[in-house]
């Protein structure tokens, strides 16, 4: 498909919608796959970072003020303000659950939904909830347990037996080294190791929101930011993961369904948290391998 990236994205969106209207659902599936690929490639190049993200979010609220529900525009502005205050965390209280009517595109904020869309009269069953991140999509316990168990092996494979010195080099200015990527993964692993025992032993615990940092490692939370060599970090990650897998092994459906409350995600379960963190790790494996190999992510050796 020729044209600019934005032009291709628009054409793919329209074609997927047209195929759905004509009942060509598997054709729409293929087009949506291409659309997802275009979005990923485009946003990797164009997505703002740091404070510019919040500036862009506030600008978006201004742009949408005349055509979107006031509550939705207000939520955008409040989300940007909260992220500035907290250094990145946006809670569910500030950015509540949101559904989109799959028929006409109307938006609905909050826990309470109308029985039907007031714009097109489509029943609430046609509304789609927009999840905060794909890590929260449903998964089967057996699949997630297997992925958790193999995670440390994949990390070791990504490191490729390289020396600690090599793993501490940045592949390019401003790019994470393999050691720094491991620090990020270890900090996330510490959160998982903290939450799973609480979910399994406490009744509906209130969990603490901690941003799994993207720019600067935390200096006062967890021990992942001590500057240890990559080999030590990888071993700590493996030890924590093995303990978590042992806790989860043999859980019945009721065990996987034990729940608590998270200020960003709302009600979470053992399964949803395990799936979240193993998917988060998987999303960083290519970055880890590239950094260990001295490449920037997405680029193969020449």
């Amino acid at each position: 498909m020729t044209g600019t990236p934005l032009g291709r994205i628009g054409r793919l969106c329209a074609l997927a919608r047209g195929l759905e209207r004509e009942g060509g659902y598997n054709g729409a599936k293929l087009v949506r796959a291409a659309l997802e690929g275009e979005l990923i490639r485009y946003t990797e190049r164009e997505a703002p970072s740091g404070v510019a993200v919040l500036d862009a979010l506030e600008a978006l609220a201004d742009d949408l003020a005349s055509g979107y529900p006031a509550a939705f525009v207000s939520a955008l502005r409040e989300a940007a303000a909260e992220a500035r205050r907290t250094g990145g965390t946006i809670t569910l209280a500030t950015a509540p659950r949101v559904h989109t009517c799959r028929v006409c595109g109307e938006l609905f904020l909050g826990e309470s939904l109308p029985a039907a869309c007031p714009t097109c009269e489509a029943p609430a069953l046609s509304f789609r909830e927009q999840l905060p991140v794909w890590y929260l999509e449903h998964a089967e316990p057996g699949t997630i347990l297997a992925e958790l168990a193999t995670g440390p092996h994949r990390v070791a494979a990504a490191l490729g037996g390289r020396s600690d010195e090599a793993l501490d080099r940045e592949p390019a200015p401003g790019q994470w080294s393999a050691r720094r990527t491991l620090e990020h993964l270890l900090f996330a692993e510490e959160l998982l190791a903290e939450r799973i025992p609480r979910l399994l032993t406490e009744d509906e615990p209130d969990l603490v929101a901690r941003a799994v940092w993207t720019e600067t490692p935390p200096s006062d939370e967890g021990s992942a930011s001590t500057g240890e060599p990559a080999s030590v970090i990888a071993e700590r990650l493996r030890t924590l993961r093995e303990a978590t897998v042992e806790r989860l092994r043999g859980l019945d459906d009721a065990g996987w369904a034990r729940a608590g409350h998270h200020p960003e995600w709302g009600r979470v379960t053992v399964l949803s948290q395990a799936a979240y963190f193993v998917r988060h790790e998987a999303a960083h494996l290519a970055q880890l391998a590239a950094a260990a190999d001295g490449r920037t992510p997405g680029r193969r050796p020449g």
Side-chain angles (χ1 to χ4, degrees):
M1 185 177 287
T2 59
T4 66
L6 285 177
R8 288 196 298 273
I9 287 169
R11 290 173 65 189
L12 288 166
C13 287
L15 180 55
R17 183 69 165 180
L19 284 164
E20 287 179 353
R21 283 178 174 168
E22 298 300 321
Y25 300 116
N26 275 317
K29 172 186 69 180
L30 297 176
V31 174
R32 286 196 301 271
L35 172 61
E36 181 78 0
E38 287 287 338
L39 287 170
I40 290 169
R41 288 187 288 272
Y42 178 76
T43 55
E44 278 299 305
R45 295 192 301 269
E46 302 295 333
S49 59
V51 176
V53 172
L54 304 182
D55 294 340
L57 186 57
E58 290 171 341
L60 177 66
D62 293 337
D63 289 343
L64 300 183
S66 62
Y68 278 73
F72 181 77
V73 175
S74 177
L76 291 176
R77 292 195 173 109
E78 290 173 9
E82 183 175 34
R84 290 188 192 279
R85 291 194 306 270
T86 64
T89 300
I90 301 172
T91 64
L92 191 61
T94 297
R97 294 174 65 186
V98 60
H99 291 73
T100 305
C101 175
R102 287 280 294 138
V103 176
C104 73
E106 187 66 73
L107 302 181
F108 305 98
L109 283 180
E111 299 291 331
S112 179
L113 296 174
C117 176
T119 301
C120 70
E121 301 183 352
L125 189 62
S126 69
F127 302 167
R128 173 184 288 171
E129 181 171 10
Q130 305 298 327
L131 296 177
V133 64
W134 66 270
Y135 303 159
L136 297 174
E137 291 177 2
H138 177 71
E140 295 299 323
T143 300
I144 293 303
L145 186 61
E147 293 293 331
L148 284 167
T150 58
H153 302 289
R154 291 177 177 168
V155 168
L159 298 178
R162 293 174 177 83
S163 68
D164 285 332
E165 181 181 15
L167 296 174
D168 202 21
R169 298 191 189 110
E170 292 183 350
Q175 293 284 336
W176 281 4
S177 66
R179 185 192 64 78
R180 192 175 181 204
T181 306
L182 280 171
E183 282 188 333
H184 177 75
L185 292 176
L186 178 58
F187 183 60
E189 195 67 27
E190 288 175 335
L191 293 183
L192 179 64
E194 171 191 307
R195 289 173 183 172
I196 293 298
R198 291 196 62 198
L199 290 168
L200 289 174
T201 60
E202 300 178 28
D203 291 329
E204 299 282 342
D206 287 323
L207 305 176
V208 176
R210 292 181 185 171
V212 180
W213 48 271
T214 58
E215 293 297 331
T216 304
S219 59
D220 58 353
E221 290 188 87
S223 52
S225 59
T226 58
E228 295 167 320
S231 58
V232 174
I233 298 171
E235 179 61 20
R236 289 177 56 203
L237 194 156
R238 183 189 65 79
T239 301
L240 282 172
R241 177 63 60 81
E242 288 179 351
T244 294
V245 169
E246 190 59 32
R247 279 185 176 273
L248 297 175
R249 200 182 304 279
L251 282 184
D252 57 13
D253 289 344
W256 284 103
R258 286 188 62 84
H261 185 269
H262 190 279
E264 286 180 275
W265 318 130
R267 194 171 189 269
V268 298
T269 64
V270 170
L271 176 57
S272 70
Q273 284 290 279
Y276 180 101
F277 283 99
V278 76
R279 285 166 168 164
H280 168 263
E281 177 182 84
H284 281 286
L285 284 175
Q287 176 189 16
L288 181 63
D293 199 32
R295 297 180 284 111
T296 54
R299 295 182 183 174
R300 298 296 178 193

